[in-house]
Amino acid sequence: RLLDSIKTLSDENATLLREVEEAEAARMEAKTSRDQMRRFKLEYGKRFSALKSALENFRKTYSQNKNNTENPNPISCSEYLKTDLTHSDLDDQIARQEQQIRKLNAELKKEKEESKKKDAALRKYESFYKEVKARSAEKARQRQAQQQQRRRVPTSHGKV
């Protein structure tokens, strides 16, 4: 009885030790995660500060040199704004593209319908071909069976 009590206590002790080890592993993992988060926050803060100061320097440089052609505004000098397209030209171009899209969609729909018709006709011809092939095979089997019967049964042509 004493041995059973000792065994029960040792089993419970082993279970408790495993739980303690698991809890310690979870604490270590949480600590590692906190350290990684802290490092990330520091790195993010540094990068954000650097980007913010760079943007502020850029803004100061281009706001001071508005009329200076040495450092022109990159947006106002972009190729997009240099194009000769006016709003009405853009609207016309968009309208033409939309019309072309509608036309192509209509053609696509028409082609799909034609394709469905052709597929249906093809299925019809395939089934007809299979049916003809099956009939032909059946007739060939019948002819072969008749020929085998004729060979088995001797004919009495000339023996009367």
Side-chain angles (χ1 to χ4, degrees):
R1 193 168 138 195
L2 184 60
L3 288 174
D4 287 339
S5 297
I6 291 173
K7 182 177 179 351
T8 303
L9 287 174
S10 64
D11 288 345
E12 288 179 12
N13 191 26
T15 303
L16 289 173
L17 285 174
R18 268 187 259 118
E19 288 177 7
V20 167
E21 288 173 355
E22 290 171 0
E24 184 64 28
R27 278 195 288 283
M28 291 299 291
E29 187 176 329
K31 183 181 179 201
T32 304
S33 295
R34 281 193 300 272
D35 290 343
Q36 287 177 345
M37 287 295 292
R38 184 183 48 78
R39 285 192 302 260
F40 173 77
K41 285 180 182 179
L42 289 173
E43 183 67 26
Y44 181 79
K46 288 178 186 175
R47 289 184 182 189
F48 181 76
S49 298
L51 180 62
K52 185 176 178 181
S53 65
L55 286 173
E56 286 176 4
N57 288 339
F58 180 81
R59 183 180 51 83
K60 287 177 184 175
T61 301
Y62 282 103
S63 67
Q64 291 171 358
N65 297 324
K66 266 187 181 176
N67 297 326
N68 190 353
T69 57
E70 290 177 15
N71 293 321
N73 185 345
I75 295 173
S76 64
C77 294
S78 69
E79 291 298 318
Y80 180 75
L81 292 179
K82 288 181 180 178
T83 60
D84 292 332
L85 294 175
T86 63
H87 288 295
S88 62
D89 289 340
L90 285 173
D91 290 340
D92 290 344
Q93 184 180 4
I94 290 171
R96 282 192 307 273
Q97 289 175 345
E98 287 176 350
Q99 183 179 5
Q100 186 178 12
I101 289 170
R102 285 191 299 273
K103 179 183 172 187
L104 290 173
N105 279 336
E107 288 178 14
L108 180 62
K109 186 176 179 181
K110 182 181 174 184
E111 289 294 326
K112 282 182 179 180
E113 289 174 4
E114 288 178 12
S115 177
K116 285 180 184 178
K117 289 177 184 176
K118 288 179 182 178
D119 287 345
L122 182 61
R123 281 192 298 273
K124 184 178 173 182
Y125 287 125
E126 284 177 346
S127 65
F128 175 74
Y129 174 73
K130 286 178 184 176
E131 187 179 319
V132 168
K133 191 174 177 182
R135 284 187 207 158
S136 174
E138 181 62 31
K139 286 183 181 179
R141 276 187 293 234
Q142 287 175 356
R143 271 188 253 123
Q144 189 177 19
Q146 286 176 354
Q147 287 176 355
Q148 286 177 355
Q149 279 184 344
R150 288 180 191 156
R151 289 181 191 152
R152 289 184 192 157
V153 178
T155 58
S156 57
H157 290 314
K159 297 183 181 177
V160 182

